[in-house]
């Protein structure tokens, strides 16, 4: 499958990996939108959040445990951070392999762009 994040999972293209286990990979975003910009992805390919179903509850819970671990490791837990998932065209999704963005290191604003 011609999916750039699946290629990152298979180490066919390089990335700066911050966390890895059997189910999840976290790596630095190539075009950071904040001083800290990390992507957390399931190793299994899901195109969008719409592909996630009943059987994936444990995986999604696990991803949030990983996010929790990463923000503490990075020391951004106290000051704060933002977790974002974009879906489809108007949601601003550009890579169709489910991913959570962790953004931190500057003041976030609301509403988002
Ligand atoms: P989306 O717009 O789909 O929510 O987010 C996709 C993100 O993936 C973007 O922030 C973009 O910079 C990042 N990205 C795209 N291609 C690559 C890549 O090859 N390596 C890394 N590390 N990040 C990428
Ligand atoms: Zn993929």
């Amino acid at each position: 499958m011609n999916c750039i994040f699946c290629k990152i999972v298979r180490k066919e293209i390089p990335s700066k990996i911050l966390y890895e286990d059997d189910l999840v990979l976290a790596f630095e975003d190539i075009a950071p939108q904040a001083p800290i910009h990390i992507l957390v992805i399931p190793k299994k390919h899901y195109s969008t959040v719409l592909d996630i179903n009943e059987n994936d509850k444990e995986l999604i819970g696990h991803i949030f445990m990983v996010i929790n671990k990463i923000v503490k490791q990075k020391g951004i837990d106290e000051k704060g951070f933002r977790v974002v998932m974009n879906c489809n065209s108007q949601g601003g999704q550009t890579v169709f392999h489910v991913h959570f963005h962790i953004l931190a290191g500057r003041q976030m604003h609301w509403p988002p762009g």
Side-chain angles (χ1 to χ4, degrees), residues 8 14 17 20 22 26 31 42 46 48 51 53-54 60 68 75-76 79 82 89 99 103 105:
I8 286 176
I17 294 174
E20 180 169 17
D22 290 347
Y46 301 83
T48 79
D51 294 335
N53 63 46
E54 191 76 15
I60 298 305
N68 201 324
I76 54 175
K79 271 194 170 174
R82 182 170 288 176
S89 173
H99 52 280
L103 296 149

Side-chain angles (χ1 to χ4, degrees), residues 47-65:
S47 295
T48 79
V49 67
L50 299 168
D51 294 335
I52 290 168
N53 63 46
E54 191 76 15
N55 300 323
D56 305 312
K57 284 179 178 173
E58 206 169 312
L59 172 65
I60 298 305
H62 179 65
I63 289 176
F64 276 93
M65 295 305 295

Side-chain angles (χ1 to χ4, degrees), residues 1 3-7 43-46 96-97:
M1 193 194 299
C3 167
I4 196 151
F5 286 180
C6 283
K7 287 180 183 167
K43 286 188 168 177
K44 185 178 168 196
H45 182 91
Y46 301 83
F96 286 81
H97 179 129

Side-chain angles (χ1 to χ4, degrees), residues 38-108:
I38 299 162
L39 300 173
V40 185
I41 69 170
K43 286 188 168 177
K44 185 178 168 196
H45 182 91
Y46 301 83
S47 295
T48 79
V49 67
L50 299 168
D51 294 335
I52 290 168
N53 63 46
E54 191 76 15
N55 300 323
D56 305 312
K57 284 179 178 173
E58 206 169 312
L59 172 65
I60 298 305
H62 179 65
I63 289 176
F64 276 93
M65 295 305 295
V66 170
I67 288 171
N68 201 324
K69 195 177 284 190
I70 290 170
V71 297
K72 286 174 183 162
Q73 264 170 13
K74 281 280 178 186
I76 54 175
D77 51 328
E78 297 258 315
K79 271 194 170 174
F81 56 92
R82 182 170 288 176
V83 178
V84 176
M85 179 186 278
N86 300 321
C87 184
N88 281 338
S89 173
Q90 284 205 342
Q93 186 175 5
T94 59
V95 175
F96 286 81
H97 179 129
V98 157
H99 52 280
F100 291 91
H101 299 257
I102 302 174
L103 296 149
R106 66 168 170 82
Q107 182 61 52
M108 298 297 153

Side-chain angles (χ1 to χ4, degrees), residues 7-51:
K7 287 180 183 167
I8 286 176
V9 167
R10 296 194 299 261
K11 317 272 168 68
E12 289 169 13
I13 61 172
S15 67
K16 291 184 183 163
I17 294 174
L18 299 170
Y19 176 90
E20 180 169 17
D21 65 28
D22 290 347
L23 299 174
V24 174
L25 189 70
F27 52 95
E28 289 181 7
D29 196 291
I30 205 167
Q33 300 302 308
I36 294 172
H37 188 169
I38 299 162
L39 300 173
V40 185
I41 69 170
K43 286 188 168 177
K44 185 178 168 196
H45 182 91
Y46 301 83
S47 295
T48 79
V49 67
L50 299 168
D51 294 335

